[in-house]
Amino acid sequence: MEFIQQLVNGISLGSIYALIALGYTMVYGIVKLINFAHGDVFMVGAFIGFYAITFLELSFLPALLLSMTACAILGVLIERIAYKPLRNATRIAALITAIGVSLFIEYGMIYIRGAQIEAYPNDVVPSANIDIFGVTVKSQSILILGVAICLMVLLQIIVHRTKIGKAMRAVSFDADAAKLMGISVNNTISATFAIGSALAGAAGVIFGVYYTRIEPLMGILPGLKAFVAAVLGGIGIIPGAMVGGLLLGMIEALVSAAGFSLWRDAAAFVVLILILLFMPQGLFGKNKKEKV
């Protein structure tokens, strides 16, 4: 039963990783950029949710929607100000810029509000223990999984059933051909950043509700782990990011259950090393040697 309990905890954590990883993989799939500022958008989302709940006295769902909207706007601003001027620059220039944007957001937040830790109220979501086949599951775990699944399904509908989703897939396949077909590449890239950042904002609020404690540098480690999840599933592949996030969460939970909780964070990077060594294309990626 302890094993199943840890597995449930791992799925909850993995859902958060998956939501953040979706932003990484969407941006990479279109502009081939690893947006290392994405973890800090997650942090901003957590703080917006916190202030919406504590100062504006909003309930969970309105706070979640407000955070997603604000983070979507932040994502578009980051793309337009920091990345768009470097669209045709070398990849190393864009990567260095992404790291710079990450540091700017982190220490900008510290400058604005200080480095003190905040705590989400305990009554944001009614806390209850639910017994399922002898396994005790927290109501927050069910909430996290439910919200994450709904957002992932909504993302799949947007990508496969809407005009902007078709534009995103076209730009990802061939940006020049998409431009010739009348698709606005710039607007499509901005929409991609907006959607990915909104998902990161949702992950931030969910994280705050579940783990309570938030602080300005909280986005560093989850951001890196979400990147590992994206690589695990196959960077640039949306279903891969979902599965990679869930798998990484379960791996961490099982490492803790085995009595190696101090090695929990290291486990994610061991997974990254193994994937890069033996399956660099990821679980859902195609091996370039197999392409005709």
Side-chain angles (χ1 to χ4, degrees), residues 1-14 17 246-265 267-268 271:
M1 288 302 176
E2 178 66 24
F3 173 80
I4 298 175
Q5 181 71 60
Q6 289 295 337
L7 213 56
V8 170
N9 295 338
I11 291 172
S12 300
L13 178 61
Y17 289 157
L246 292 172
L247 280 176
L248 189 62
M250 287 189 284
I251 289 169
E252 286 194 13
L254 294 178
V255 167
S256 296
F260 300 101
S261 56
L262 293 177
W263 291 88
R264 176 176 173 169
D265 292 335
V271 169

Side-chain angles (χ1 to χ4, degrees), residues 37-56:
H38 195 62
D40 299 295
V41 175
F42 157 80
M43 175 270 294
V44 171
F47 273 100
I48 291 173
F50 170 77
Y51 289 122
I53 290 168
T54 54
F55 285 92
L56 300 180

